[in-house]
Amino acid sequence: AQSVTQLGSHVSVSEGALVLLRCNYSSSVPPYLFWYVQYPNQGLQLLLKYTSAATLVKGINGFEAEFKKSETSFHLTKPSAHMSDAAEYFCAVSDRDNQGGKLIFGQGTELSVKP
Amino acid sequence: EPEVTQTPSHQVTQMGQEVILRCVPISNHLYFYWYRQILGQKVEFLVSFYNNEISEKSEIFDDQFSVERPDGSNFTLKIRSTKLEDSAMYFCASRPDRGNSPLHFGNGTRLTVT
């Protein structure tokens, strides 16, 4: 069965600092991987996805993530945090048979950005 | 940009009552989904729907749940007899095809069962 673990339910960084949100997955087959962001009182918005092309995936708002099969990881990074990045971030996995429809989510990481 | 819209944003109901959560997916999308998030827990898959039938459902989606696309634009989730543990945020999602196109989520309906 697939699963996703996000290390750290809450991450706090200073404005301008590096953002690193960790995600590890478990899957018996090569997965599709996603990062979603949820701003307060809003739905889940796709940041980026990995579907077996380049292992370094660039998304919206300056975020990127690298698929590392050997480490079963898909960590999300941004070189310089902005106040507007404060939100909850969810990593999700789907198997290729399902082709990204049924997503298994991690528990989420709340990102705070200090001035 | 087209959006998935959900109504109402917040629904309060008494235990044992029926509730219908409504969603309008993006107009050219063909695959529809419901997810839920109990406060403090993970977002969980409930059901997927295509071509007017359920494609897949989770263990959570028992006989008290049903989905329907009554008129070609709305996509509804009905809970027949609500329980306290049904209190959660319910998200509707859609996507145009079965490839690797991502899900587009609505803003959710917060259901509170008292």
Side-chain angles (χ1 to χ4, degrees), chain A residues 38 44 90-92 103-108, chain B residues 34-38 40-46 60 89 91 105:
Chain A
Q38 184 180 28
L44 298 162
F90 294 92
C91 182
L103 298 174
I104 307 297
F105 283 89
Q107 71 271 31
Chain B
W34 283 101
Y35 285 77
R36 80 172 186 189
Q37 184 181 28
I38 295 172
Q41 298 187 23
K42 297 183 180 185
V43 178
E44 303 171 290
F45 168 80
L46 290 178
I60 304 166
M89 180 73 89
F91 293 104
F105 284 85

Side-chain angles (χ1 to χ4, degrees), chain B:
Chain B
E1 186 177 333
E3 293 182 342
V4 175
T5 57
Q6 291 186 243
T7 55
S9 57
H10 192 183
Q11 173 101 37
V12 181
T13 190
Q14 289 190 327
M15 194 168 51
Q17 295 296 305
E18 175 183 286
V19 67
I20 297 177
L21 308 183
R22 303 182 189 279
C23 169
V24 179
I26 296 172
S27 63
N28 64 339
H29 286 191
L30 301 176
Y31 293 82
F32 313 111
Y33 305 83
W34 283 101
Y35 285 77
R36 80 172 186 189
Q37 184 181 28
I38 295 172
L39 187 64
Q41 298 187 23
K42 297 183 180 185
V43 178
E44 303 171 290
F45 168 80
L46 290 178
V47 66
S48 59
F49 190 86
Y50 169 70
N51 200 25
N52 279 321
E53 59 183 30
I54 291 173
S55 322
E56 187 174 359
K57 59 184 181 180
S58 71
E59 294 174 351
I60 304 166
F61 196 88
D62 61 22
D63 291 345
Q64 72 161 343
F65 289 93
S66 62
V67 289
E68 192 178 28
R69 189 156 161 79
D71 56 13
S73 62
N74 289 283
F75 178 52
T76 61
L77 174 69
K78 182 193 289 187
I79 309 175
R80 259 180 272 284
S81 177
T82 50
K83 304 171 190 168
L84 293 176
E85 55 264 36
D86 293 327
S87 295
M89 180 73 89
Y90 288 81
F91 293 104
C92 173
S94 69
R95 62 175 181 161
D97 54 46
R98 189 172 155 70
N100 59 19
S101 56
L103 302 187
H104 295 254
F105 284 85
N107 286 352
T109 293
R110 179 165 297 287
L111 176 65
T112 302
V113 183
T114 61

Side-chain angles (χ1 to χ4, degrees), chain A residues 34-88:
Chain A
F34 306 82
W35 275 99
Y36 280 84
V37 61
Q38 184 180 28
Y39 299 102
N41 301 315
Q42 294 189 27
L44 298 162
Q45 179 184 4
L46 181 71
L47 271 179
L48 49 80
K49 62 180 181 180
Y50 166 76
T51 56
S52 83
T55 56
L56 181 62
V57 181
K58 294 188 184 299
I60 62 172
N61 302 339
F63 284 93
E64 63 183 36
E66 186 172 7
F67 172 68
K68 292 188 176 179
K69 184 178 178 181
S70 60
E71 298 177 8
T72 61
S73 69
F74 191 58
H75 302 331
L76 181 72
T77 60
K78 181 174 180 178
S80 177
H82 192 271
M83 296 296 291
S84 61
D85 295 326
E88 185 136 24

